[in-house]
Amino acid sequence: MAFSFNFDVEVETDPSLLGAAEEKPKLEKEVLQEDKNNEAGKHQDSRMETGVKKAKEHIPPQDCEHLLENTVTETFSLGTLPPIHYLNESVLEQTASERADREMILSQNIGSHSDLISGVYEGGLHIWECTIDLLEYLESVGETFSGKRVLDLGCGAGLLGILALKRGAKEVHFQDYNSTVIEELTMPNVLLNCDDDDVDDEEGDSDSAASKKKSPELPPQAGLAKCRFFSGEWTSFLSLVLSSDPPPQYDLIFTSETIYNTAYYPSLHEVFLQLLVPAGLVYLATKAHYFGVGGGLHLFESFVEQKDVFNIKSLKEVEEGLKRHVVALSFKKRD
């Protein structure tokens, strides 16, 4: 599996401005993008007008099999983990003209040769190294998710959330910045894995699990019924889900390669604060530093320490290439 790390970012964040909003650079970036591609600009109106990509929920279609038309699939396998199927990203990009790409990010990604266009496309089409690091950690500790509610934040291909779904999670929500990623990649990937024989029963009941194994024709809607899908910027996403009655609360939040820009730290921290249950865990996989973008683990740790809400515990370090980490966040215990 190949990984690339090209970024198209105009302004590197000054650490002294940690937590400050960068509305003006984002707007300038978007105006420039509109000049380059007027058609793409037509479909970014909510972002252009407010400086925030408005969140929305994506409802899987009743007839969802068409999501898998003209696709090529691959399978991720590791140790004791159930196999996870996903769409080949290169084929997805090359067939952009055949897909409902209202944000025009598939064609822009190819044309710009960039894995990130700040404020426009946030890298969700690629499976990044740190996601694999976190999957390896979960395999090594034998993590299961029976009965848990899970959020895959900045999900991209959704491999982490899919693992939770296949290992018995009660509910899994997927969120990515781009609606195209959710509709053309995340949702089809979940669908690919929904009718597998190895999807565990959410309550861990052996009889129910056995009956599932005898029924490989279990309709995909049964798995999709455990899932919800969201796109949009994190502040807007948080407002959207908090407006639910009752709002969701998660036992586990997965997030991988999401702390590359320090301007996003306040909204990310607020999602953790508002949506994690008191005894919950955030699993964060990240590089030590993101060159050309400015963020990284050490800056995020400093931000979290200033907020004084969460503990951060190191779970795994990877020394090869750019140094990478898997850490866990949990609420501090108060007297």
Side-chain angles (χ1 to χ4, degrees):
M1 186 181 299
F3 302 92
S4 55
F5 302 93
N6 302 313
F7 296 95
D8 182 6
V9 181
E10 288 190 341
V11 180
E12 182 171 339
T13 305
D14 184 346
S16 67
L17 301 178
L18 195 63
E22 295 184 340
E23 298 296 330
K24 185 174 180 180
K26 288 182 180 179
L27 290 172
E28 290 175 350
K29 176 67 178 180
E30 287 152 5
V31 171
L32 177 60
Q33 186 61 47
E34 185 177 21
D35 290 338
K36 289 182 178 179
N37 193 324
N38 188 55
E39 183 63 25
K42 292 178 182 178
H43 299 293
Q44 296 168 15
D45 55 329
S46 62
R47 179 75 176 180
M48 297 293 293
E49 292 174 4
T50 67
V52 171
K53 190 174 187 67
K54 187 176 181 181
K56 68 176 182 177
E57 182 169 2
H58 300 258
I59 308 300
Q62 289 293 321
D63 179 16
C64 51
E65 293 296 332
H66 75 277
L67 295 174
L68 303 179
E69 293 176 355
N70 302 318
T71 59
V72 174
T73 63
E74 299 185 30
T75 300
F76 174 83
S77 299
L78 175 69
T80 60
L81 296 185
I84 301 174
H85 313 297
Y86 60 95
L87 300 187
N88 179 286
E89 63 190 50
S90 297
V91 174
L92 188 69
E93 291 175 349
Q94 294 302 324
T95 57
S97 61
E98 305 170 17
R99 303 186 179 280
D101 181 16
R102 289 184 293 274
E103 298 171 301
M104 304 292 287
I105 65 167
L106 292 171
S107 55
Q108 287 185 67
N109 190 41
I110 295 172
S112 67
H113 304 289
S114 175
D115 294 320
L116 188 149
I117 306 172
S118 183
V120 177
Y121 163 62
E122 299 289 348
L125 294 173
H126 298 283
I127 298 174
W128 298 96
E129 289 174 308
C130 291
T131 298
I132 305 302
D133 294 338
L134 183 46
L135 287 167
E136 290 175 346
Y137 171 78
L138 295 171
E139 192 275 338
S140 70
V141 298
E143 179 76 78
T144 59
F145 309 94
S146 180
K148 294 183 178 179
R149 292 178 172 86
V150 178
L151 172 63
D152 191 346
L153 189 68
C155 61
L159 270 59
L160 296 164
I162 290 170
L163 173 63
L165 184 66
K166 299 184 83 164
R167 280 198 161 177
K170 183 175 184 178
E171 196 171 351
V172 182
H173 294 178
F174 297 85
Q175 182 277 338
D176 195 86
Y177 183 82
N178 291 106
S179 59
T180 299
V181 171
I182 290 292
E183 294 174 350
E184 299 294 330
L185 182 61
T186 316
M187 206 177 288
N189 284 350
V190 173
L191 180 62
L192 277 172
N193 291 274
C194 274
D195 55 0
D196 271 10
D197 295 0
D198 55 0
V199 177
D200 292 342
D201 180 72
E202 67 183 49
E203 302 299 331
D205 181 85
S206 59
D207 292 335
S208 298
S211 68
K212 280 194 173 187
K213 288 183 178 293
K214 294 176 184 176
S215 306
E217 299 303 319
L218 184 71
Q221 286 80 1
L224 286 174
K226 297 182 181 181
C227 303
R228 294 175 70 183
F229 302 88
F230 301 90
S231 66
E233 186 269 344
W234 286 327
T235 300
S236 181
F237 161 70
L238 184 59
S239 296
L240 176 62
V241 296
L242 288 178
S243 67
S244 304
D245 187 19
Q249 291 282 286
Y250 302 105
D251 303 291
L252 292 172
I253 297 177
F254 293 130
T255 192
S256 175
E257 304 269 18
T258 52
I259 60 170
Y260 53 85
N261 191 329
T262 58
Y264 301 161
Y265 292 179
S267 56
L268 181 62
H269 188 276
E270 192 66 15
V271 170
F272 297 163
L273 176 63
Q274 296 289 340
L275 299 184
L276 190 68
V277 300
L281 279 179
V282 176
Y283 284 115
L284 166 66
T286 180
K287 294 180 180 65
H289 183 73
Y290 290 89
F291 294 97
V293 190
L297 179 60
H298 303 304
L299 283 175
F300 186 70
E301 284 178 325
S302 297
F303 181 85
V304 171
E305 288 171 2
Q306 291 173 15
K307 292 293 184 180
D308 196 30
V309 174
F310 293 102
N311 291 311
I312 297 185
K313 179 182 179 181
S314 176
L315 302 177
K316 176 180 178 177
E317 293 187 2
V318 181
E319 297 288 347
E320 61 186 38
L322 292 174
K323 190 172 184 180
R324 308 191 301 274
H325 302 265
V326 175
V327 301
L329 282 75
S330 59
F331 283 108
K332 289 186 174 182
K333 294 182 179 179
R334 303 297 183 183
D335 295 332

